[in-house]
Amino acid sequence: MQASAILQSRRILPALALLLCFAFLNACRLAQAGDLPDQRLFDALLSSKSEMEARIVEAEIWESWIAAAPSADLEAKVRSAMSKRRVADYEGALMELNSALETAPDYAEAWNQRAFIHYLQGKPDRSLEDIERVLALEPRHFGALSGKGRILMEQGRVRLAQQALREAVALHPFIPERFLLIREHEEKGIDL
């Protein structure tokens, strides 16, 4: 009888531990919903010693931006839009993002993802409008800043582009767009 009880406890305890772990993680996720990334992540990004190290921290920041949705449903809409974007279903992605933004106009990552879709559709001015919304809600959004820099460079608005790119690099020294930076005295172009 004692051996049977021990065997059963060996089956129950791991399952119970797993269940408690999921409950704890879900409670943490609910407590974090609506929160932007902790400044410690940005500090870790700045102090990264290598591009690989920076990419790990960057992924955590991106995940925090997505998880900052005010509800699991809105986060799911943004993730669905991202999946649709990956297969070039831009209209489907826009429907998801517009729906999310109707419900949560303060959800920065929904604006950012919509800005990306507009860019991919060849609508740079609409993309810039959404980027400005992102930056008003999350000024540390290096992805939005680098996107803004790329668009402005394509428009020949070099000085403004360089300013946005410098801001992005100041937040994320290993951001790929750092290679678009030029020396200040070499900036040419029209800034409107």
Side-chain angles (χ1 to χ4, degrees), residues 20-58:
L20 288 172
C21 208
F22 280 123
F24 175 75
L25 289 173
N26 192 40
C28 288
R29 187 204 158 327
L30 290 174
Q32 293 173 355
D35 292 343
L36 292 174
D38 190 297
Q39 182 58 41
R40 288 176 290 193
L41 285 173
F42 288 95
D43 294 343
L45 188 58
L46 282 173
S47 64
S48 295
K49 303 282 187 260
S50 68
E51 189 158 350
M52 186 185 309
E53 186 181 327
R55 293 285 169 245
I56 293 168
V57 178
E58 174 188 352

Side-chain angles (χ1 to χ4, degrees), residues 13-100:
L13 287 177
L16 183 60
L18 188 60
L19 182 63
L20 288 172
C21 208
F22 280 123
F24 175 75
L25 289 173
N26 192 40
C28 288
R29 187 204 158 327
L30 290 174
Q32 293 173 355
D35 292 343
L36 292 174
D38 190 297
Q39 182 58 41
R40 288 176 290 193
L41 285 173
F42 288 95
D43 294 343
L45 188 58
L46 282 173
S47 64
S48 295
K49 303 282 187 260
S50 68
E51 189 158 350
M52 186 185 309
E53 186 181 327
R55 293 285 169 245
I56 293 168
V57 178
E58 174 188 352
E60 289 182 57
I61 292 171
W62 277 105
E63 189 58 34
S64 295
W65 280 329
I66 296 166
S71 72
D73 179 54
L74 292 172
E75 179 180 338
K77 284 183 182 193
V78 168
R79 289 187 189 281
S80 173
M82 293 168 69
S83 294
K84 289 177 181 186
R85 181 196 72 222
R86 283 191 274 283
V87 295
D89 179 7
Y90 302 143
E91 291 306 317
L94 277 177
M95 286 176 54
E96 296 276 13
L97 294 166
N98 289 337
S99 174

